[in-house]
Amino acid sequence: MFALFSRKKKNKIIDLEFDESLGIPRHIAIIMDGNGRWAQKRKLPRIAGHKEGMNTVKKITKAASKLGVKVLTLYAFSTENWRRPDSEVNFLMKLPVDFFDSFVPDLVKENVQVNVMGYIEDLPKHTKNAVLRAIEQTKDNTGMILNFAFNYGSRAEILTATQKIAKQVVKGELDADAITEETLSDALMTGTFEKDLRDPEILIRSSGEERISNFLLWQIAYSELYFTDELWPDFNEYSLKQAIISYQKRARRFGGV
Ligand code: IPE
Ligand code: IPE
Ligand code: MG
């Protein structure tokens, strides 16, 4: 009873303050953290937290799309997450199958386009197929890009990009002195997006951890960082709006005055 009351009250306050005319970030990136702890608090297995976290992804996707966000990048599985117990990894590799099976019709209705950045070729076949199918099924949508970082690691991404550029130099297609920031930005996995959509304006991390965990190291050079103690399964539309309100209040100087 009490929790319900305070939540309602909280929602009211946020709706009152929220002003879309102050600007909605075009690209929002989220490190979805805290699924395991959410489950632990309820004496449930960690995978129960991942299942609940999947529902949060659905809610936040719809909310962001309605707000007019252009790219929503969600960190779903890192190149380091293979270190987890096999049973948990197996569950996480099955999640995209269930997620897309149940959610693609909604994505089509919302005009949302799925993109996956990461080392897809190293995923189990069923995971890879689910991901490729979702990309195919939503490829004609023209609204928000729902960009999953899956088997993604930023250092690996930068290394792959560097190798790609080095090969062009060796072949004589590119002069080493002609390599610019744009050359690297083009070669990264976000290089498939329009130039002004590649770097997130805001990076959100749930669960109270205040670190980047190998996510978008190049792209967040000037992103606003927002940390919340909420665990990912508890994160909701109001949490998202709260993050955006915080973003709207900040003065982004990019080194200027
Ligand atoms: C984030 O939640 C989801 C993934 C990394 C796949 P965690 O599983 O990291 O949850 P905690 O941090 O252990 O609570
Ligand atoms: C980062 O969370 C990766 C994802 C959210 C997919 P982790 O839970 O893996 O990060 P660390 O281990 O706390 O740094
Ligand atoms: Mg974690």
Side-chain angles (χ1 to χ4, degrees):
M1 251 335 240
F2 179 73
L4 204 74
F5 174 72
S6 64
R7 183 119 169 230
K8 255 193 189 150
K9 198 170 139 196
K10 183 176 135 197
N11 294 356
K12 218 178 196 170
I13 292 165
I14 293 161
D15 272 341
L16 220 68
E17 283 178 10
F18 193 69
D19 184 351
E20 288 183 30
S21 71
L22 290 174
I24 299 292
R26 283 168 307 169
H27 183 167
I28 298 180
I30 308 182
I31 302 175
M32 310 185 287
D33 198 15
N35 291 350
R37 278 164 282 172
W38 183 91
Q40 216 165 21
K41 266 172 55 183
R42 288 163 180 75
K43 307 228 181 323
L44 295 169
R46 291 178 55 84
I47 58 169
H50 295 314
K51 210 170 163 207
E52 195 56 34
M54 183 173 90
N55 292 326
T56 304
V57 171
K58 292 179 180 176
K59 284 185 224 154
I60 296 306
T61 299
K62 287 186 181 175
S65 165
K66 290 216 163 65
L67 286 170
V69 171
K70 304 281 183 228
V71 180
L72 177 66
T73 297
L74 302 178
Y75 203 6
F77 192 89
S78 77
T79 45
E80 287 72 38
N81 286 146
W82 296 105
R83 293 176 189 156
R84 296 184 179 205
D86 283 354
S87 57
E88 183 172 347
V89 169
N90 290 342
F91 186 85
L92 290 169
M93 289 299 144
K94 242 207 108 230
L95 263 193
V97 182
D98 299 337
F99 176 81
F100 289 124
D101 269 353
S102 57
F103 199 46
V104 160
D106 285 16
L107 291 175
V108 171
K109 224 181 285 162
E110 296 278 335
N111 197 24
V112 171
Q113 198 184 328
V114 173
N115 187 72
V116 177
M117 73 176 183
Y119 295 89
I120 300 178
E121 60 280 6
D122 299 331
L123 297 175
K125 214 170 175 178
H126 61 284
T127 317
K128 185 181 154 187
N129 287 345
V131 156
L132 293 177
R133 200 164 49 237
I135 293 171
E136 173 64 25
Q137 286 167 329
T138 60
K139 71 173 192 310
D140 295 327
N141 294 346
T142 54
M144 186 180 85
I145 297 171
L146 173 59
N147 180 36
F148 282 104
F150 203 89
N151 197 18
Y152 171 87
S154 185
R155 286 188 170 180
E157 177 195 31
I158 292 170
L159 270 178
T160 304
T162 307
Q163 288 167 349
K164 201 158 121 187
I165 295 167
K167 283 175 192 162
Q168 286 176 292
V169 173
V170 169
K171 278 195 211 153
E173 292 166 3
L174 181 66
D175 192 61
D177 295 324
I179 298 170
T180 61
E181 289 190 5
E182 204 178 334
T183 317
L184 194 67
S185 172
D186 285 344
L188 294 172
M189 291 172 181
T190 41
T192 55
F193 303 147
E194 283 173 38
K195 289 194 198 306
D196 65 335
L197 289 179
R198 291 174 182 177
D199 302 340
E201 281 88 9
I202 177 170
L203 169 67
I204 298 169
R205 181 168 189 152
S206 60
S207 90
E209 307 298 348
E210 299 188 351
R211 56 175 169 265
I212 303 301
S213 301
N214 202 15
F215 194 41
L216 303 175
L217 298 177
W218 172 277
Q219 295 90 335
I220 61 166
Y222 271 105
S223 303
E224 297 299 327
L225 306 181
Y226 181 86
F227 300 104
T228 168
D229 286 339
E230 267 181 313
L231 304 173
W232 179 248
D234 293 327
F235 195 90
N236 59 27
E237 185 180 347
Y238 297 96
S239 324
L240 179 69
K241 286 185 175 175
Q242 240 169 342
I244 295 174
I245 289 169
S246 168
Y247 165 82
Q248 289 171 335
K249 286 183 182 147
R250 299 186 191 189
R252 304 186 76 205
R253 284 189 283 275
F254 301 100
V257 288

